Amino acid sequence: MPHDAVRAESPALGRGARQEVPSFSGYTPDLDALHASGTRVVTAVGEASEGEPPHRAALTLAERLGGRSETFPGDHGGFGAVPEAFAARLREVLQD
């Protein structure tokens, strides 16, 4: 994952984000294990979060897995902000 995409010490991040980001910003998924698992991995991005760190991370992961990210309504937390639209899109994606 692009460790430079998010910097926990960034002044642009709010206090809450500075506390939350370190817990996952250093995580690097085991791409070899994901490829070998045979399990379908779907990365998702929120249509309203383009350019934000979660969006960039999902695009990067999808690219490294040889696929593409699916776009969902809302931002990176669209499941809470627009649950009905999110659920409809999720059903659509999982049926493919």
Side-chain angles (χ1 to χ4, degrees):
M1 300 302 291
H3 293 287
D4 59 340
V6 177
R7 292 280 185 223
E9 66 276 3
S10 172
L13 294 175
R15 181 173 179 262
R18 282 194 302 273
Q19 292 172 345
E20 180 183 332
V21 169
S23 65
F24 61 81
S25 66
Y27 175 74
T28 302
D30 185 339
L31 298 178
D32 291 334
L34 289 171
H35 281 291
S37 74
T39 301
R40 177 180 174 211
V41 177
V42 177
T43 65
V45 295
E47 62 188 0
S49 65
E50 188 172 347
E52 294 180 13
H55 193 276
R56 293 192 314 263
L59 294 178
T60 299
L61 179 57
E63 180 182 307
R64 291 184 182 180
L65 291 173
R68 62 182 177 86
S69 281
E70 296 291 342
T71 302
F72 282 75
D75 59 14
H76 72 276
F79 54 88
V82 286
E84 293 84 11
F86 183 91
R89 178 67 178 132
L90 181 60
R91 281 190 293 277
E92 189 179 295
V93 167
L94 294 180
Q95 287 177 353
D96 284 345

